[in-house]
Every structure is written in C-alpha cells, then in structure tokens.
Amino acid sequence: MSLKSYRTALITLVAIASMVACLVFTVARLLDVENDLRSEDTHTNLWQITQTQFEASLLAESLARAAAHESFADNEQAPDFRIAILISRLAVLLEGPQAHLVEHFGHLGDLKRAYLQLTLAEPLMQGPLDPAFALQLRGQARGLAQDLRDLANKVMILNREQGALKRSMYLRVVFESLAFVIGIVVSAAFLLLRLFKGVHEATQARRLLRQEQELSDLVINNISNQGIIIFDEQLSCLLWNPGMETLLGLNADNTVGHRLQALAPIFEKTGVAQALTEAIRGTSAILEDVGLSPQGQARCLEINCFPLHIAERRLGIAFIRDITEQWEARKQAERQNFDLTIKVQQRTAALQQAERRLIAAIETAPDGFAAFDWTGRLLFANEQIRSAEPVTVWCAEDMTLSTFLRCFAMCEGADERLLTHDDTFVDIELDLRIREGSWAHLSVTTVDGGTIFVRLTDISGYKQAAQALQSALDRERETTGAYRNFVSMVSHQFRTPLAILDSSAQRILRRGESLTQDELAVRIQRIRSATKRLTRLVESVLNAAKLDAGRIELNPTSCNLIDLVWDICDRQRELSAHAEIRFDAPETAVQVYCDSILIEQVVINLLTNAIKYSGETPVVEVKIWMDGSRAYCSVRDWGIGIPADEVSRIFERFYRARTATGIAGTGIGLNFAQKIMHLHGGEIQVESYEAAGSLFTFDLPMSNVDQSQQAA
C-alpha cells in the first residue's frame, strides 16, 4: 500500500471512530439525564419532612385537648391514633433514603431519641391520660415539630441549590449533545465525501487500467527485438509476442495454449525449466542460454523470468533477447583478461622477487630504512630502524609517520618540523643526538607517488671524531695562546733579574777597587736575589714539565704537619722580613700521611702568593686543625683578592687574575699545587673577594698504623 492510500485509509478510520465516539457519548449523556430524572429528588424528601412535622403538630394539639379533658368526636383525633401516625412517619424518615439527608444536616440523633420516646409513650396512650404526662408529652411533640421545621427549611435551601446545579448540568448536557450531533454530522458528511471520491477514483482506476492494458498489449506486440511470453502454472503459453517469432521462428497461432517444453528445445533445458517454475512460485531469475539459432549459428539468449499476478492467478512472464554480440565481446574480453592476468602475474612475480631482493638488501644494510604512504601509515621498516632507541621506547607498537617523527623531537638537534608534519610535506635532513655519545642522521624524503622514505644513519663515530678533532683544536688554540702568554710573561720575568745582574756586574767592573766593602756586599746581595728569582722561575717551569710528563712520583710517609708548616713559615720570615706571618696550630702533633716534599711546595706556593699579593705590609695567617680523619691547613691574607668571576679559573695553567696585573708571576704555581693535592686525593678550596683578601684551604688524611706499616 502506498503512503497516500495508507494516509487516506487512516483518515477514513479516524472519521468513523469520531462519529461512533460522538454517538456513544451523546447516548451516554442522555441516559445519565434520564436516570437522574427517575431518581428520587429533594422534593420528595421535603414532603416527607413536612408531613412528619404536620403529624407532630396534630399530636401536640390532641395532647393539649386530652390534658383539658375534652372529648373527641372522631377517633382519628385521639392521641393514641395521632402518635401511631407520627411514629410511622418518623420510621420512614429514619429508615428510608431520607435518613442520609437527615444525617447530612445533623438531626439524625435528635429524631432517633424522639422516635424512642414516642415508642415508649405509645402504650401509655391506650387508657386515660394523666394531664401532667399529656402536657409533658405535648412539649416533646412541639419540640419535635420545631426541629422538623428547621430541617424542612434546610432541605428547601438544599433543594434550591441542587435545582440550580441540575439546571446548569442539563444545559451543559444539551450543549454537549449538540456538539456531539455536530460531530456526527461532520463525520457522516466526511464519510459521504470519501465515498463519492472513492467511487470516482475507482472509476478512474478502471479506466486507467484499461488504458494500461491496451498500452501493454501494444508494447508487447510491437517489440520485435525482445521476445515476451506469459505462461501459467502448467507452463502453458498464454502470450507469444512477435519478438518470439523472430527468435524461435514460431508464430502465436501455433504456440498459445501449448506447453513451452513442446514448442522449443530451449524450454526443455533443466536450468530454463527451473527458472520458469520458480517464477510461478514468486522468485525472479536471470540466466543465459548458449545454443544454435534456426540458421545453425552459435548464439546466446538472455532469459529474465519474473512472477506475474493477474486476477488472483499465479502466472509468470519471461523476457528473452539475443545478446550474442555482447556474449562474443565478453568472451573476447575474458580471453584478453586471462592473457593480461598471466602477464600481470609474471610481472608481479618479477616485482616481488625484486622487492624481496630489495628488502633483503635493506634488512642487511647497517642503516635504518622505513617507508610510509601519503597518509602516514607504515608500509615497511627494517629491524635497524625498529631497534633505534627512541622508536623502541615511544612508538614500538603503533608506528605512524607523525609518531615516528615525534620520537626524535626531544633529541638534541631537532626542530619544529618534527612536530608540525602536515600534508604539505617538506624534506628533512637533521643530525640528532640520541643519547650521550650516540648520534644519528635523520633523512626524510618524499617521491612523486606520495610515498615517504625515512633513513636513519648512525654517525656516532663521525661525530665523536669531529668532536675529538674540535676538542683537540680548541685545546691546541688554548695551549698556543697560553704558551704565547707564558713565553711573553717568562721573558719579562727573566729580563728583570738579568737586568739586575747585568747592572750590578757593570757597576762592580766600572768602580773596581773603589767600591767599599758595604757597597760590594749590597751589589752581591742583589746578584744573589736575582739569581734566586731566576732559579724559582726555572723550577716552576721544570715542575710543570715534569707533571705533564708524569715523572713526579708520590712517596707518602707519616709526618707531623705542624712541624712541616712551621719550618716553612720560619724560613719565609727570613726571606720576607717585612711580612707578618701568624701561625695557629694545636698543641699536640698532627700526623698526616703524605709526600712531605710535595706538600712543602704546596705550602710554600700558597704562603709566597699570600705575601706577594698583600701589598707593602702583608699580614698572613696560617692555621692547622683536625676534623675526623682529615687534617686541614689554611693560608689567609687580606690582600688584593680575586674577582668573583675569575675564582673558578685560577687553578688553570698560566692563568692569572686581572688583579695580579703588574705583579711578577708565571701562573703555574697554583696549577702545580692543585695537581699535587689531586695526587694526594685532596683538593685546594678557595674563598676570595676582590680587595678583601683570599683564603686557601687543603686537607690531608690523618696517619694511622696501617698506613705507617704500608709506608715502612
């Protein structure tokens, strides 16, 4: 069913349901009104109450007459008759439907008490009445009449209210019934309209069906290039168009009404007969039949079988057309495709063999190789690139081009191109430092087909050689500069004592015997001082050369550090009489394990430097103390000090601070002293402030029995 027909049927059903619903609701409302009219209303209740009130008044009047000893002409006016009538009236009020109304207004209890009193008093009314009892009973009857009057007033008010409600309800029912009637009329009108429209559409459908039938007959009979047959459940031919006459050479007069298997051999074939039978059962089928034409030539027929339902009959229809040309073209294409498949297989085998050789070559190559497609998906990667350190850590499981490049983004030498890879790919050539002592060259290139090739080459040896050459070149440049400065400085330092020697010798030669003994002693002392200075310069150079050549041997023994340092300080006082040298040491001996000759050179170097760089009146403090298994010796001065930015370099060979400009020195002493301490497993520590002096401290191991025995 089409969507339009479904919608029309749904609307019609809704209209019918609406009409039925309106009719049901109208009848239901009318039945409610009729039931309400038949039910007992408040008018009846009011009548019952007023009648009971009237009987109570008559009983009170009868009792008053009885108390006055009046006689009754009629027996119905007697108190015993009137009380019986009143009791029956009260019984109706208390036991009938009026009891709910009485209870609603709160008079049920009073009426029950009055009913009980009257019932008890009724036997006493049979004989002569006592006037006092008659008057008492008269008062009760009058009170009952008063209560019934109040109840009647309340019922009358309720009657008015219920009357107004019923009138409004009846009016609402009238309007609802009118609306339902209008709904019934509208639904009936819509159904009549749909009926007339349906009759009209059915007439048009029959006319269109007749036109389509005529058109289909015209089309079927005039299709000459395609055969059409219609058959029933027994495979008897019902329609044979002219196209079938062309294909099989049989006309309609000789085929209609006959079984198809008896008409042509094509219908006897198992596949064709099964397709025709399945079409009758409701299953479509398409097949091809290769055979001979009436002229004896090979041909191919395409048979399309479909189910057909006409007037509740299960029929079948078959469309048959000659596709010999397409069949021959397809056979030729299949042959060409087979030949092409053979060639492709041969070419594929050759390419696979070449690929295997290439992969084998790549797998055995020392470099890492990988290939990615234009989307970044991994195509191939050899073991060398998979085992690269960043790859095994970060993208061993999911290796895409972007993740692969990000693996190397944290390496030294990487740039932002490894993180901002996009469709506009740019070739990359980078030298990356993978870890300490390991370098690799990363090469990423793309070809025209969109394939991206990655090559990872280990260049650690090249980089190490380059770094070694660069380091050697830097050291050579530094050494050359240092030696140039050293030669310049030493030549200057040598020139001064030589000039003193030359000038003193010339003066002695010129004056000869005219020199006094004191002048001669002064000249000789100057010559000796200059000679000592030259000797110290030569010793410094020789010590540096020995240390470089590794020819200084360490011969440690146990010695008293206090005696060693005190002797050095005492000798220095003789050489530098203008200097104040303070000495602070423990009273007990401080035995250390060291080479006393080398340590003496360290102390002499520190002490002479402290005096030399402390101005005209130097003050130097030498201190010795112990801490645990180590002995410490410090040399402090309050001289020119060392700039803060040069403190870390003062132990470099030939280096002199800028505050030492103009003061004689070679820049070798502190370097030599530090290396001596390194041989002893210690180090010279320095604290210095420019224009505030310096503090040099070194430490030595304390001597013990094992070391003494080893030294022995």
Side-chain angles (χ1 to χ4, degrees):
M1 185 181 294
S2 64
L3 180 60
K4 183 177 180 182
S5 300
Y6 177 79
R7 188 180 303 167
T8 303
L10 181 61
I11 293 174
T12 304
L13 291 176
V14 170
I16 295 173
S18 301
M19 185 178 69
V20 173
C22 291
L23 183 60
V24 170
F25 282 123
T26 302
V27 173
R29 296 301 290 165
L30 293 176
L31 290 175
D32 290 340
V33 172
E34 192 271 337
N35 186 33
D36 186 70
L37 291 175
R38 288 192 302 171
S39 63
E40 187 174 0
D41 57 3
T42 56
H43 293 285
T44 304
N45 298 332
L46 182 60
W47 182 83
Q48 292 285 352
I49 295 171
T50 55
Q51 286 297 317
T52 307
Q53 178 191 2
F54 177 71
E55 292 295 334
S57 300
L58 290 178
L59 176 61
E61 182 180 356
S62 177
L63 291 172
R65 291 176 63 186
H69 301 286
E70 293 182 5
S71 61
F72 297 96
D74 189 359
N75 191 30
E76 293 182 356
Q77 296 179 357
D80 56 347
F81 181 78
R82 295 264 65 103
I83 196 171
I85 296 299
L86 180 59
I87 290 173
S88 65
R89 294 290 185 186
L90 284 174
V92 172
L93 285 178
L94 295 176
E95 295 177 359
Q98 291 80 12
H100 299 289
L101 185 62
V102 173
E103 184 180 7
H104 174 71
F105 289 108
H107 292 275
L108 184 62
D110 296 337
L111 293 182
K112 285 184 177 181
R113 285 193 297 272
Y115 177 78
L116 180 61
Q117 292 173 358
L118 291 174
T119 303
L120 296 175
E122 183 180 9
L124 302 176
M125 303 292 288
Q126 301 299 326
L129 290 175
D130 182 37
F133 175 72
L135 290 176
Q136 181 183 1
L137 188 59
R138 175 179 175 271
Q140 294 177 355
R142 288 175 64 87
L144 176 61
Q146 185 68 28
D147 291 340
L148 290 173
R149 186 186 63 183
D150 294 339
L151 179 60
N153 291 334
K154 294 179 181 179
V155 171
M156 184 176 62
I157 294 172
L158 178 62
N159 187 20
R160 290 178 181 177
E161 293 176 354
Q162 289 182 349
L165 293 175
K166 284 185 178 182
R167 283 192 297 273
S168 62
M169 188 267 290
Y170 292 156
L171 183 60
R172 185 171 65 254
V173 169
V174 170
F175 284 119
E176 289 178 356
S177 300
L178 182 60
F180 290 146
V181 169
I182 293 173
I184 293 171
V185 172
V186 172
S187 300
F190 177 77
L191 291 176
L192 289 174
L193 180 62
R194 288 303 308 163
L195 178 61
F196 292 141
K197 187 176 181 181
V199 172
H200 179 67
E201 289 178 351
T203 304
Q204 287 184 342
R206 285 195 297 270
R207 185 173 63 253
L208 292 174
L209 182 60
R210 186 170 56 255
Q211 291 176 356
E212 291 177 358
Q213 182 68 31
E214 294 175 354
L215 180 61
S216 62
D217 293 341
L218 180 62
V219 171
I220 290 174
N221 293 327
N222 287 277
I223 294 178
S224 59
N225 62 344
Q226 183 169 335
I228 301 175
I229 57 173
I230 298 177
F231 48 92
D232 59 10
E233 295 180 353
Q234 288 75 31
L235 299 184
S236 297
C237 179
L238 303 178
L239 174 68
W240 189 278
N241 78 329
M244 291 299 296
E245 296 181 10
T246 304
L247 291 174
L248 300 181
L250 299 173
N251 55 29
D253 297 335
N254 299 327
T255 56
V256 175
H258 297 80
R259 289 179 58 83
L260 295 177
Q261 290 87 339
L263 297 178
I266 186 175
F267 299 114
E268 296 179 351
K269 295 182 178 180
T270 304
V272 176
Q274 184 178 358
L276 297 176
T277 304
E278 292 295 330
I280 294 295
R281 296 174 181 173
T283 304
S284 302
I286 300 176
L287 68 156
E288 294 180 357
D289 178 73
V290 179
L292 297 177
S293 65
Q295 293 78 19
Q297 297 177 353
R299 70 174 179 181
C300 180
L301 298 179
E302 182 186 65
I303 304 173
N304 296 271
C305 302
F306 303 98
L308 182 65
H309 299 279
I310 299 178
E312 298 183 356
R313 293 183 61 188
R314 298 175 61 182
L315 305 177
I317 184 171
F319 299 89
I320 304 175
R321 64 190 185 98
D322 189 351
I323 59 169
T324 303
E325 294 182 359
Q326 295 89 326
W327 173 65
E328 292 178 349
R330 188 168 64 246
K331 288 181 62 178
Q332 184 177 0
E334 290 176 354
R335 289 193 297 270
Q336 293 176 352
N337 186 39
F338 178 76
D339 296 339
L340 182 60
T341 302
I342 296 300
K343 292 181 180 179
V344 169
Q345 291 177 351
Q346 294 175 351
R347 184 64 59 86
T348 302
L351 290 176
Q352 290 177 347
Q353 185 178 2
E355 181 182 1
R356 287 193 294 270
R357 289 197 297 268
L358 177 60
I359 292 175
I362 293 176
E363 288 289 354
T364 57
D367 298 341
F369 289 93
F372 300 86
D373 62 10
W374 63 275
T375 63
R377 183 174 60 88
L378 178 66
L379 300 177
F380 172 76
N382 66 350
E383 185 61 29
Q384 286 76 3
I385 205 167
R386 289 183 182 274
S387 60
E389 186 168 332
V391 177
T392 57
V393 174
W394 299 106
C395 58
E397 297 181 357
D398 181 21
M399 186 191 297
T400 61
L401 181 59
S402 57
T403 57
F404 177 81
L405 294 179
R406 281 198 295 269
C407 291
F408 295 90
M410 294 181 291
C411 297
E412 181 182 340
D415 57 26
E416 66 277 2
R417 290 180 296 174
L418 300 181
L419 297 175
T420 58
H421 171 64
D422 51 18
D423 294 337
T424 58
F425 185 79
V426 179
D427 293 352
I428 299 175
E429 296 286 342
L430 293 174
D431 288 344
L432 305 174
R433 184 184 181 186
I434 307 301
R435 52 184 170 80
E436 183 67 28
S438 178
W439 288 79
H441 178 74
L442 178 65
S443 174
V444 185
T445 57
T446 182
V447 296
D448 295 337
T451 304
I452 301 170
F453 292 98
V454 177
R455 180 180 180 183
L456 192 65
T457 306
D458 186 5
I459 57 171
S460 301
Y462 164 75
K463 280 292 183 179
Q464 291 172 359
Q467 289 178 350
L469 290 175
Q470 185 64 37
S471 299
L473 180 60
D474 293 340
R475 287 196 302 271
E476 180 64 25
R477 290 174 178 173
E478 182 180 354
T479 303
T480 301
Y483 273 106
R484 187 182 297 112
N485 295 332
F486 171 74
V487 170
S488 175
M489 179 184 59
V490 169
S491 62
H492 175 74
Q493 297 295 332
F494 272 86
R495 190 180 298 114
T496 301
L498 290 175
I500 293 173
L501 290 174
D502 183 63
S503 62
S504 298
Q506 288 182 7
R507 184 173 289 272
I508 292 173
L509 289 174
R510 282 198 305 268
R511 298 186 59 181
E513 296 179 356
S514 62
L515 288 174
T516 62
Q517 191 67 26
D518 294 335
E519 289 178 344
L520 182 60
V522 170
R523 297 297 177 185
I524 293 174
Q525 185 63 37
R526 288 181 179 177
I527 292 174
R528 291 189 61 193
S529 298
T531 304
K532 290 180 180 180
R533 186 174 180 182
L534 286 174
T535 302
R536 286 197 300 271
L537 290 173
V538 173
E539 287 179 353
S540 297
V541 175
L542 290 176
N543 289 333
K546 290 180 180 180
L547 194 60
D548 288 341
R551 291 184 301 185
I552 293 182
E553 296 181 0
L554 187 66
N555 298 309
T557 58
S558 178
C559 65
N560 188 351
L561 183 61
I562 296 177
D563 294 342
L564 176 65
V565 177
W566 172 257
D567 291 341
I568 297 172
C569 292
D570 192 38
R571 292 198 305 269
Q572 192 63 40
R573 288 190 187 97
E574 295 179 359
L575 297 176
S576 305
H578 64 290
E580 179 182 356
I581 301 176
R582 302 171 184 173
F583 186 73
D584 183 11
E587 294 181 358
T588 60
V590 178
Q591 294 295 127
V592 295
Y593 187 69
C594 65
D595 189 328
S596 58
I597 297 176
L598 296 178
I599 294 302
E600 180 180 354
Q601 295 187 38
V602 173
V603 176
I604 291 173
N605 182 272
L606 296 178
L607 187 58
T608 54
N609 282 348
I611 295 172
K612 182 167 56 174
Y613 297 110
S614 295
E616 296 180 356
T617 58
V619 177
V620 179
E621 181 183 65
V622 180
K623 185 177 180 180
I624 297 175
W625 72 96
M626 294 178 292
D627 187 4
S629 61
R630 308 290 292 183
Y632 294 86
C633 177
S634 65
V635 179
R636 181 182 183 87
D637 67 76
W638 287 267
I640 59 177
I642 304 170
D645 59 333
E646 297 184 352
V647 171
S648 60
R649 300 191 61 189
I650 60 171
F651 292 107
E652 296 179 9
R653 184 181 296 185
F654 309 135
Y655 185 82
R656 304 191 72 205
R658 58 177 177 269
T659 53
T661 303
I663 301 175
T666 60
I668 297 176
L670 285 178
N671 175 264
F672 182 66
Q674 184 71 285
K675 290 185 177 181
I676 290 176
M677 291 309 304
H678 287 168
L679 292 175
H680 284 79
E683 190 175 20
I684 300 175
Q685 304 291 336
V686 59
E687 296 180 14
S688 182
Y689 301 94
E690 189 172 358
S694 303
L695 173 64
F696 289 85
T697 305
F698 66 89
D699 60 306
L700 291 169
M702 298 287 292
S703 178
N704 53 41
V705 178
D706 295 338
Q707 290 175 338
S708 299
Q709 291 177 355
Q710 183 179 0

